[in-house]
Amino acid sequence: MPFESYIQSINATIENLTGGNQIMSGAIVLWLLGVGSYSLRVVPSKVFSFLVKHTTTEVTVNNSDMVFIKLHRWLSQKCGDYQIRKIKFTDFHDGVSRGTKDIGYGDHIIWLGWIPLRISFYSIESQSTNFKEVLTITKLGRSHKLFDYLLKEIRKEEPQKKSVWSINGEMWQHHLNTVTRDFNSLAILESQKKKIKETLDNFQDSESWYIDKSIPYKLGILFSGPPGTGKTSVIKAIANYMDKHICICKSKSLGKLDDIIARMPSDSILVIEDIDSSSLVKDRGLDTKDNITIDMNDDCSSLSEVLNAIDGVIGSHGLIIIMTTNHKEKLDPALIRPGRVDLDIEIGYLTEETFLYFLGRFFDDVPNSVNLKKDNITGAQLQQDILSGMNIQNILNKHTYMKSSSNRLVLQSN
């Protein structure tokens, strides 16, 4: 038989090579068997991998990408369509605590119309202590049209919402989706609203000027003032006005600000909250014994490294940095000098103008003028009064020396 003749031919060849040495012949036979066995195991998988590589297209995103959140949300909706067979329960979704079904780790097959998609969802170890989630979508064919369609679908923003990201270790993680604010809803001075919008417009229209002058294209903003005066609301309004998302960095992370900026999701504003609480940026001219408490949770660094990051040594073209503080006087002058801070706004307590403006958003029968009892009323306090169910007359009695009667102001009797 041809097969037997082939085996005899191989044996004869081996004997000729080894001179009839049975040990050498056995070794060669074992080597040939090993090569054959390896080929039977590896070659089919290599062929399969080759075919997959040249007949499919895949796209991969991880949880440091803005689009990951939208893609993950889209897939989670498929859990309700019974297309996802591996699911998990979670009580936190889009920043809201609620029991819901979510896509589980592993491989999934779903259908987009008549097209099957393979979804791989896994967590992997990252360089930091945080885990990293990765989504891979694979389809048959080389065309990108389906991915273009899918990207268009998941890029549709939820109406009037922006993503809020927070730094966790060395990674940005999606925290929640927040409802945006409009400048018309802010209870700050009209002159301040005008100044903020003019600064933003000028920055947006001046990119070519920055490039021509070889100046880092960035904008620094400082909002100072007591707690509860509306600094966060102004930031939301800016994000809405500039069509950007919000990345919040705690002051204790300033020591690695360069890495934080480099890893920021695209189309985002960097917000450094309560920057005065970091020992790195305290005024070096202050008596450190009485005024500066070193925070051992601050990442080891120096003021110069923080300033270099803000100045744009790390790639940050088009970056908007907003710093908030309750105590501007504690900040080192080098941090807030012109060039690093292009807009410095103090958002203080409610004035007569802003007090009436705030009330006008909730009530119709608002007086033309009032005399405030105190000069330290915050928007947060006034909002709490309104949400507690107080009517306009009770609010006026509480906070002013005037009361309204048929839109006329009369002196309140004591």
Side-chain angles (χ1 to χ4, degrees), residues 120-137:
S120 297
F121 183 35
Y122 292 97
S123 66
I124 61 176
E125 294 291 334
S126 66
Q127 295 180 350
S128 68
T129 57
N130 305 290
F131 69 91
K132 186 176 184 179
E133 293 182 324
V134 177
L135 269 170
T136 300
I137 303 178

Side-chain angles (χ1 to χ4, degrees), residues 131-367:
F131 69 91
K132 186 176 184 179
E133 293 182 324
V134 177
L135 269 170
T136 300
I137 303 178
T138 306
K139 62 172 283 291
L140 290 171
R142 307 288 294 272
S143 173
H144 293 181
K145 289 184 178 180
L146 183 138
F147 290 136
D148 293 338
Y149 167 79
L150 183 59
L151 189 61
K152 182 180 179 180
E153 286 297 305
I154 64 178
R155 273 181 170 171
K156 290 180 179 178
E157 294 287 350
E158 291 182 274
Q160 300 303 314
K161 285 192 175 183
K162 293 295 180 183
S163 294
V164 177
W165 295 69
S166 59
I167 194 70
N168 187 356
E170 296 179 3
M171 291 178 57
W172 285 104
Q173 292 186 342
H174 184 257
H175 184 58
L176 55 84
N177 287 334
T178 184
V179 177
T180 58
R181 296 290 297 265
D182 186 87
F183 274 104
N184 291 330
S185 71
L186 301 179
I188 62 175
L189 296 173
E190 286 298 321
S191 59
Q192 292 178 325
K193 295 179 188 179
K194 181 180 179 181
K195 182 64 176 177
I196 293 171
K197 288 193 284 187
E198 286 178 349
T199 301
L200 295 174
D201 291 339
N202 183 62
F203 174 71
Q204 205 165 29
D205 297 337
S206 302
E207 181 177 4
S208 59
W209 183 88
Y210 280 85
I211 295 174
D212 291 341
K213 303 300 179 182
S214 299
I215 299 174
Y217 180 52
K218 62 180 185 59
L219 179 67
I221 299 175
L222 177 66
F223 291 136
S224 59
T229 53
K231 296 185 289 291
T232 300
S233 296
V234 178
I235 292 171
K236 290 181 180 181
I238 290 176
N240 182 44
Y241 191 77
M242 300 296 285
D243 193 22
K244 291 183 179 292
H245 301 282
I246 301 172
C247 289
I248 298 177
C249 170
K250 299 296 184 182
S251 59
K252 68 179 183 179
S253 299
L254 282 180
K256 49 189 176 184
L257 187 59
D258 51 353
D259 290 332
I260 288 173
I261 292 175
R263 296 169 183 259
M264 276 182 61
S266 59
D267 296 325
S268 300
I269 293 171
L270 177 62
V271 177
I272 306 176
E273 291 185 323
D274 300 323
I275 193 170
D276 57 278
S277 62
S278 173
S279 59
L280 296 176
V281 296
K282 294 290 182 70
D283 188 348
R284 291 165 291 182
L286 294 175
D287 182 354
T288 58
K289 180 178 179 180
D290 296 331
N291 294 284
I292 296 182
T293 300
I294 301 298
D295 185 356
M296 299 307 293
N297 291 321
D298 277 346
D299 294 289
C300 183
S301 186
S302 64
L303 175 61
S304 62
E305 292 177 358
V306 175
L307 299 181
N308 284 338
I310 293 176
D311 288 343
V313 174
I314 303 298
S316 54
H317 186 79
L319 179 63
I320 298 176
I321 301 179
I322 300 178
M323 298 176 285
T324 69
T325 177
N326 298 332
H327 303 283
K328 177 184 173 182
E329 70 281 358
K330 293 183 179 181
L331 298 178
D332 194 288
L335 176 69
I336 57 177
R337 67 164 175 77
R340 292 195 177 105
V341 171
D342 306 287
L343 177 64
D344 185 353
I345 297 285
E346 180 181 358
I347 302 177
Y349 296 112
L350 294 177
T351 64
E352 176 184 328
E353 173 191 338
T354 55
F355 179 87
L356 294 175
Y357 187 88
F358 199 111
L359 288 182
R361 295 180 53 228
F362 297 92
F363 303 104
D364 295 327
D365 192 19
V366 178

Side-chain angles (χ1 to χ4, degrees), residues 359-378:
L359 288 182
R361 295 180 53 228
F362 297 92
F363 303 104
D364 295 327
D365 192 19
V366 178
N368 297 321
S369 63
V370 291
N371 184 11
L372 297 177
K373 290 181 178 179
K374 299 180 179 179
D375 59 2
N376 62 348
I377 304 172
T378 66

Side-chain angles (χ1 to χ4, degrees), residues 10 14 27-37:
I10 292 176
I14 293 174
I28 292 176
V29 170
L30 289 175
W31 177 78
L32 289 174
L33 289 173
V35 171
S37 176

